[in-house]
Amino acid sequence: MVIGVISWDLHLAGCASLKDKRRIVKSIKNRLHNEFNVSVAETDHHDLWQRCELSCCVTARDRRHAESVLTAVGNFVEKGPDFRIISSSQSFR
């Protein structure tokens, strides 16, 4: 079994409050879970309006499958209109 994790540091330029941020983050998390059946959590910058770290995790039988899922998830996130990716990182265990 392989566990793959990808994390993004995001800039949410359109947010004027934590309520705006929660709306956008919840939407991203729901879309990723529904589309790719992955686990997603906000893992840092909880009190900042325009910044968020999201982490996405997938378990797979082999590394190749985990990599393909995380690549698809990464491509999906890159197209997000409500935010800009500052940085990202990926790991496997």
Side-chain angles (χ1 to χ4, degrees), residues 5-10 25-26 28-30 32-33 38-46 52-57:
V5 178
I6 187 168
S7 297
W8 304 275
D9 195 1
L10 304 175
V25 170
K26 185 176 180 179
I28 297 166
K29 288 170 53 177
N30 288 338
L32 290 173
H33 179 72
V38 293
S39 297
V40 185
E42 182 179 0
T43 52
D44 202 1
H45 310 301
H46 300 282
C52 171
E53 181 183 87
L54 282 183
S55 296
C56 175
C57 178

Side-chain angles (χ1 to χ4, degrees), residues 1-4 58-63 66 92-93:
M1 179 173 72
V2 175
I3 300 170
V58 62
T59 57
R61 186 175 181 121
D62 58 39
R63 184 178 171 127
F92 296 92
R93 293 188 182 188

Side-chain angles (χ1 to χ4, degrees), residues 9-14 50-52 82-86:
D9 195 1
L10 304 175
H11 179 248
L12 310 165
Q50 295 186 341
R51 193 149 174 214
C52 171
D82 299 328
F83 53 86
R84 179 177 61 86
I85 298 173
I86 297 171

